[in-house]
Amino acid sequence: LIQAICNSIIKNSPELKVLYRTGETFTNELIESIQQRSTAAKFRNKFRTAVTFTTTDVRVALENCVSRNYLHLMIHNLVKKGELKRIRKGVYTFREDLSVVGFAYPPFYYGLQEALSLHNLWEQETVPIVLTPRKIRQGRREFLGNNYFIRRIDRSMFFGYEMIAKTCTHLLILA
């Protein structure tokens, strides 16, 4: 009977493809798709409060229960929907705040104008400068339609900073 139905479908609609699956394979694929939907919800709940996170963080937090390809597809779709924001390759956030960009380049601290602005000592809009001792390409980057700059400093010059809380985000600021 199933073979007759498939032959009829192929005859009447040759552009359609017929996929033969055993009952066991179909059941396993159905269960896997249901689990993956709950994986996306689990991911949102777990990382919505994180400042930034990497794909490795997600894979470890979800206890490697999803494949690498599915993880990248899920993140791609969330970025495309606008729920998730990409700061740089492999580093993401749910927040719509330019002050989180430094967390994509740990260890880091912000330049003088941004530090003054975060301490409410500078009222003008600033273009953040992220200072990091990491070996990373320097220059202008963009996040949420705003520019920010990455500058490298010598490791011996990386000292004298403190963590401050700003709207549930901890920032490294020059002390």
Side-chain angles (χ1 to χ4, degrees):
L1 180 64
I2 292 175
Q3 188 67 38
I5 293 170
C6 291
N7 288 335
S8 175
I9 290 172
I10 292 170
K11 182 180 176 184
N12 296 331
S13 303
E15 72 278 356
L16 295 178
K17 302 283 187 225
V18 176
L19 182 64
Y20 293 95
R21 289 280 189 245
T22 65
E24 181 183 359
T25 304
F26 173 77
T27 304
N28 289 339
E29 289 175 354
L30 177 65
I31 290 169
E32 184 179 333
S33 73
I34 291 169
Q35 287 175 340
Q36 288 177 347
R37 266 194 234 119
S38 67
T39 301
K42 185 177 175 183
F43 164 74
R44 280 188 191 95
N45 293 338
K46 191 173 228 75
F47 287 97
R48 182 126 354 239
T49 58
V51 178
T52 61
F53 55 88
T54 65
T55 52
T56 304
D57 296 335
V58 176
R59 202 168 42 251
V60 169
L62 296 178
E63 301 161 356
N64 293 321
C65 66
V66 296
S67 71
R68 174 175 272 150
N69 290 339
Y70 176 74
L71 176 66
H72 288 289
L73 180 64
M74 182 178 68
I75 289 174
H76 171 78
N77 288 336
L78 288 172
V79 168
K80 193 174 177 181
K81 286 181 189 175
E83 283 186 56
L84 196 61
K85 285 79 182 162
R86 180 181 180 268
I87 299 175
R88 70 179 183 95
K89 184 177 181 181
V91 181
Y92 302 90
T93 186
F94 280 103
R95 299 179 187 218
E96 293 190 20
D97 184 6
L98 188 59
S99 66
V100 301
V101 296
F103 290 94
Y105 308 94
F108 77 99
Y109 54 70
Y110 287 113
L112 179 61
Q113 279 187 332
E114 186 69 9
L116 290 171
S117 178
L118 291 169
H119 281 290
N120 294 321
L121 298 172
W122 186 273
E123 294 181 10
Q124 295 178 357
E125 191 69 30
T126 63
V127 175
I129 298 174
V130 178
L131 303 163
T132 182
R134 293 180 66 187
K135 292 183 179 178
I136 195 160
R137 183 181 54 84
Q138 299 185 88
R140 182 186 65 82
R141 311 280 169 87
E142 190 174 307
F143 180 69
L144 298 175
N146 297 306
N147 293 330
Y148 68 96
F149 290 90
I150 302 294
R151 296 287 184 249
R152 286 180 52 203
I153 60 170
D154 189 73
R155 179 67 71 177
S156 65
M157 302 300 288
F158 190 75
F159 64 91
Y161 60 88
E162 64 177 298
M163 293 286 277
I164 66 165
K166 178 186 178 264
T167 61
C168 299
T169 302
H170 288 80
L171 303 172
L172 298 170
I173 306 296
L174 287 172

